[in-house]
Amino acid sequence: MRALTPAEVLFDGEAPPTILPACDHYAGSEKLMLKSFALQQELGPVFDITLDCEDGAQVGRETEHAELVASFPGSEHDRFGRVGVRIHDFHHPHWRDDVRLILRAAKRAPAFITLPKIRSVPDAAEMVAFIEATRRELGIAQPVPVQLLIETHGALARVFELAALPGVEALSFGLMDFVSAHDGAIPDTAMRSPGQFDHPLVRRAKLEIAAACHAYGKVPSHNVSTEVRDMNVVANDAARARNEFGYTRMWSIHPAQIPAIVSAFAPRDDEIATAAEILLAAQAAQWGPTRHRDTLHDRASYRYYWSVLRRARSTGRAAPAEAAPLFGDNAGSAPRAASGPREGQD
């Protein structure tokens, strides 16, 4: 009898929640884009690259910038297929042109499309539907995942509905715009550390976004750290985002931040070894209850330890060789296509 993998038995027939690379690195100019691709080829697919049409494009030159962005997905620079794009927001006249031009001109569809400044569920749903209709019209075989940027009052108020939208794989927190939207009621110290983790309104926003994502099996992506010199600050920001707020991904705006972020989100060696031991014992027991070092485990804890191994793989950390049968052929990384809250997994 073939040994069943965690992905086959622990999620009630559904795919496990989505896991994406721990770092999402933004690049707006051609020079920075090329540097980002070079670093990705050096480090491997442990971080994504987002090519920015929103803030990267000069006013009046949106088409030329979108053409530049479209030249990268599927090119010789895109070795791993982990390059996404951020288009203009719903109220900008060029956002539909961004979608059409990039999906038509790129040699391969981007790994994802990020939608900024979402203000309402209908706006987001219209943009998602347009992307889906355009990829079908152009004969692109697979849907293009969408990531939403939560940085307005309207988006935060409907964050659970936004997380539930089909086609959405991640929600990102836009700290700077969120603070600015309060018209001075939140001090500027909340735009950087440690204030960004201490102000009650900012904490509430971060927690609501993370909770919504985990309810629907989507990826919560933390805002940038503005520190570009002291990487200990960046690493601490990433660790707090992960351990205190439940984020599994974080933005980067400087190449030096990437290794610090990836390392902070990676499980420790002892966590990986423990997870492998527990899951291999569970697999041998046909996923019934087991005992490990005087602690009892069942499917609830198995799901946790499976997430440890999946995060290890996504951050480039090696799992023990004997753990290979746990991954099977699909590496346990299939996205979850959820339409309702996740139930029955406690």
Side-chain angles (χ1 to χ4, degrees), residues 136-172:
R136 287 179 177 272
E137 176 188 341
L138 296 174
I140 297 172
Q142 298 296 324
V144 180
V146 171
Q147 302 185 10
L148 306 181
L149 189 49
I150 309 300
E151 50 192 336
T152 68
H153 296 296
L156 184 63
R158 297 290 183 265
V159 68
F160 279 80
E161 296 172 58
L162 291 169
L165 284 175
V168 171
E169 70 173 2
L171 303 183
S172 297

Side-chain angles (χ1 to χ4, degrees), residues 30-324:
E30 183 175 13
K31 177 182 177 181
L32 295 178
M33 292 174 190
L34 290 171
K35 285 187 175 181
S36 301
F37 281 113
L39 185 59
Q40 191 184 57
Q41 293 189 21
E42 176 186 341
L43 299 180
V46 295
F47 72 95
D48 284 343
I49 299 171
T50 296
L51 308 179
D52 192 7
C53 286
E54 185 193 26
D55 292 337
Q58 296 177 4
V59 175
R61 297 184 62 85
E62 291 87 355
T63 296
E64 291 89 339
H65 193 79
E67 289 172 345
L68 169 66
V69 166
S71 70
F72 285 108
S75 71
E76 69 275 12
H77 302 286
D78 182 20
R79 179 179 172 187
F80 303 106
R82 292 306 312 173
V83 53
V85 300
R86 177 167 71 171
I87 63 173
H88 288 87
D89 70 89
F90 182 79
H91 295 280
H92 193 283
H94 207 272
W95 77 263
R96 290 180 179 84
D97 293 333
D98 286 343
V99 173
R100 292 191 192 98
L101 194 157
I102 292 169
L103 292 187
R104 181 181 296 113
K107 295 180 180 178
R108 175 169 57 201
F112 54 88
I113 295 177
T114 296
L115 313 182
K117 295 183 175 61
I118 295 300
R119 292 175 172 83
S120 71
V121 177
D123 288 358
E126 182 175 337
M127 295 182 83
V128 172
F130 183 82
I131 292 169
E132 173 64 8
T134 303
R135 76 96 184 166
R136 287 179 177 272
E137 176 188 341
L138 296 174
I140 297 172
Q142 298 296 324
V144 180
V146 171
Q147 302 185 10
L148 306 181
L149 189 49
I150 309 300
E151 50 192 336
T152 68
H153 296 296
L156 184 63
R158 297 290 183 265
V159 68
F160 279 80
E161 296 172 58
L162 291 169
L165 284 175
V168 171
E169 70 173 2
L171 303 183
S172 297
F173 182 43
L175 173 65
M176 308 299 183
D177 281 286
F178 180 78
V179 171
S180 297
H182 286 77
D183 295 321
I186 300 176
D188 67 345
T189 54
M191 293 185 181
R192 53 188 180 272
S193 294
Q196 66 160 313
F197 294 106
D198 297 335
H199 194 282
L201 287 175
V202 177
R203 287 177 63 89
R204 167 181 170 264
K206 293 187 181 190
L207 291 170
E208 286 287 296
I209 293 167
C213 285
H214 292 302
Y216 288 93
K218 310 299 173 69
V219 174
S221 185
H222 194 263
N223 56 273
V224 301
S225 173
T226 56
E227 177 60 50
V228 296
R229 292 184 181 274
D230 188 348
M231 291 304 108
N232 289 325
V233 173
V234 177
N236 186 64
D237 286 351
R240 293 194 69 178
R242 166 67 189 149
N243 297 328
E244 297 179 33
F245 293 83
Y247 282 78
T248 58
R249 181 171 163 96
M250 180 171 165
W251 285 24
S252 161
I253 54 171
H254 191 282
Q257 295 178 335
I258 296 171
I261 292 170
V262 173
S263 178
F265 278 92
R268 300 188 311 271
D269 289 342
D270 60 323
E271 292 179 302
I272 297 169
T274 297
E277 291 173 6
I278 291 172
L279 292 175
L280 286 169
Q283 190 178 55
Q286 297 297 317
W287 302 102
T290 59
R291 176 175 174 173
H292 181 267
R293 298 178 187 173
D294 296 326
T295 300
L296 298 178
H297 294 279
D298 59 17
R299 293 193 180 194
S301 56
Y302 297 157
R303 282 190 288 270
Y304 170 80
Y305 290 109
W306 180 229
S307 74
V308 171
L309 291 189
R310 296 177 71 219
R311 285 193 296 115
R313 178 168 285 197
S314 73
T315 52
R317 303 297 294 274
E322 59 269 22

